[in-house]
Amino acid sequence: MSDNFDYDLAVVGAGPGGYVCALRAAQLGLKVICIDKRMTPGGTCLNVGCIPSKALLHATERLEEAKNEFESLGIEADNLRFNLARMMERKNKIVSDTVKGVGFLFKKNNVTARTGEATITAPGKLHVNGEKLTARHIVIASGSAPMSLPNIEIDEQTIVSSTGALSLPKVPERLVVIGAGVIGVELGSVWQRLGANVTVLEYADHIAPGFDRGLSKQFQRSLTKQGLKFRLSTKVTGAEKTPDGVKISMQPAAGGDTETLEADVVLVAVGRRPITQGLGLEALGIALDKNGRIATDAHYKTNVDGIYAVGDVIPGLMLAHKAEEEGIALAEQLAGHAAHVRYDAIPSVIYTQPEFAMVGRTEEALKADGVEYRAGSFPFMANARARAIACTDGAVKVLSCAKTDKILGVHILGPCAGELIAEATLAMEFGASAEDVARTCHAHPTLSEAVKEAAMAAYDMPLHI
């Protein structure tokens, strides 16, 4: 430390971007403090997001499997039932153990953890619960919060965000989900498997915005077959609480007559907003973009010297792993190392059953930019391992440059897509061609052979279809 600062680095926010930035900086020899409003580290992801939702998805997937697939596997189960309270207890324990793990890592790496409200008063200066602190570098990693719609007030009881939907005390008979993105279809799937009658309302004319359009149609068919109902091209105009629940007002997105829909619980899953209020940004003159996100340069520096930002508060995908990569890169830069994030090789995953994963460009984006490409697809129905485990919905699609064969994007709808996309991400990170992946030996029988076959289809032709 030098120049009489209390810390080399102060990180505001202990979510994936913040706590990873703090850990990496400490590993590289900086004296670090990480400040968060929550009593436990991990941000939305670990506390009320990624981790608890995956615990519930796993539990309900096993329930669905026992209900609908055991008999075909030769397994007989009688009196099958679930205990929601116990399911929630398991989810809460997983969250507790995970956030304790982050606390352990802070201690192991000598990161000072502080609970409280942080306000940046000047470059190098902060107030935390009234205490004055100084730091040579300050990183804003305060994350994001759920958005709502005009005239719809979230109370986390009958009109809930993702936070409330993770802890409902009982299964609602009628659940309406507003938004058919990642959060909407994941949590809608959870409660549908537990017995709720789920209707998903989406403003766009397709579900899973941002994902491959062709595969998203297959995705919708698969979810519909499971019991979810979809109303697309639908604009929600209001939600009125009634003695029996909630009355939703809606109309066609293109305009038209208003309809109403009754629900016991409404989940609002229309996106998230950056948390930038209360940090002192306006007084400092830190520039924001039109969406309220902090503007930074390629090195995550704001327009105020010594103040940086990463994660959901800056432009880009609101993904925990994107925030982590930015936190690592920034920590390494502040410690004097060269580091960067390759934004065209950041995967996205929807953890339903089947899973939906992607990395790189979509066909729609390539067409819009006039990029000549080749597309190769391979269905899981033709994959031996997928047939053996009775998970044959979906396919793998590989997009490659028509001139160089370099992989431009990979899209996977099917079993373990969130794991399979890692191979595609690694291939893109190292500039691999479709032929490179196709000529790489894949173990048999594995689901990953579908990636190999789709790559073969992109540069030549597949073998097993």
Side-chain angles (χ1 to χ4, degrees), residues 237-445:
T237 57
E240 177 189 353
K241 296 179 188 177
T242 69
D244 298 323
V246 184
K247 181 183 291 185
I248 300 113
S249 301
M250 58 189 181
Q251 60 184 194
D257 295 336
T258 296
E259 297 180 62
T260 60
L261 186 63
E262 300 280 350
D264 299 297
V265 174
V266 174
L267 165 58
V268 181
V270 294
R272 299 181 64 83
R273 59 172 180 79
I275 298 174
T276 56
Q277 300 80 18
L279 299 174
L281 305 191
E282 291 183 2
L284 289 166
I286 290 179
L288 306 179
D289 69 9
K290 63 181 181 180
N291 295 315
R293 299 184 183 185
I294 299 172
T296 65
D297 65 12
H299 302 288
Y300 309 108
K301 182 181 178 297
T302 70
N303 61 311
V304 176
D305 287 342
I307 301 178
Y308 304 80
V310 297
D312 287 1
V313 293
I314 69 172
L317 297 171
M318 286 185 166
L319 298 170
H321 44 281
K322 175 256 194 188
E324 287 186 3
E325 294 304 316
E326 291 173 343
I328 292 170
L330 177 54
E332 293 180 349
Q333 291 169 13
L334 295 177
H337 300 275
H340 74 284
V341 176
R342 182 169 174 179
Y343 285 98
D344 64 349
I346 294 179
S348 296
V349 185
I350 302 177
Y351 294 91
T352 44
Q353 193 65 270
E355 293 182 354
F356 199 176
M358 64 168 285
V359 64
R361 308 293 300 282
T362 62
E363 285 197 73
E364 294 75 33
L366 293 174
K367 289 175 181 176
D369 291 344
V371 177
E372 295 183 14
Y373 68 94
R374 291 195 297 263
S377 296
F378 190 82
F380 278 104
M381 181 64 76
N383 176 268
R385 182 66 188 280
R387 291 199 301 272
I389 64 173
C391 293
T392 54
D393 279 2
V396 180
K397 179 185 289 187
V398 173
L399 308 175
S400 63
C401 176
K403 297 178 181 178
T404 66
D405 196 37
K406 182 178 179 180
I407 295 174
L408 303 175
V410 177
H411 306 267
I412 306 175
L413 174 66
C416 302
E419 307 298 331
L420 296 175
I421 203 66
E423 176 185 1
T425 305
L426 182 65
M428 290 189 64
E429 184 71 35
F430 283 88
S433 66
E435 184 176 1
D436 288 332
V437 173
R439 292 191 180 278
T440 298
C441 184
H442 289 64
H444 175 77

Side-chain angles (χ1 to χ4, degrees), residues 211-229:
F211 283 70
D212 179 86
R213 286 287 193 96
L215 289 178
S216 75
K217 292 179 181 178
Q218 292 187 44
F219 185 42
Q220 183 180 341
R221 286 197 296 270
S222 181
L223 294 178
T224 300
K225 187 168 59 177
Q226 294 172 38
L228 272 73
K229 302 178 184 68

Side-chain angles (χ1 to χ4, degrees), residues 71-153:
E71 186 176 354
S72 68
L73 298 174
I75 301 171
E76 296 179 358
D78 297 323
N79 300 319
L80 185 69
R81 60 192 186 278
F82 67 88
N83 184 319
L84 182 61
R86 190 172 299 170
M87 194 179 291
M88 291 297 176
E89 286 173 8
R90 174 183 178 273
K91 179 257 298 181
N92 293 338
K93 185 177 187 305
I94 290 168
V95 169
S96 176
D97 290 346
T98 305
V99 298
K100 285 177 183 176
V102 176
F104 167 78
L105 292 173
F106 277 165
K107 292 179 180 178
K108 177 184 176 182
N109 291 279
N110 297 314
V111 173
T112 299
R114 185 71 56 85
T115 300
E117 300 271 356
T119 303
I120 306 168
T121 56
K125 297 181 180 181
L126 308 92
H127 285 180
V128 181
N129 296 343
E131 179 186 359
K132 296 180 180 179
L133 299 174
T134 60
R136 175 179 292 278
H137 307 292
I138 297 172
V139 175
I140 301 168
S142 45
S144 62
M147 292 173 58
S148 189
L149 292 171
N151 304 318
I152 298 180
E153 182 180 350

Side-chain angles (χ1 to χ4, degrees), residues 28-40:
L28 295 172
L30 278 64
K31 186 177 181 181
V32 182
I33 184 171
C34 188
I35 307 148
D36 197 276
K37 294 184 291 186
R38 280 192 175 91
M39 294 297 294
T40 54

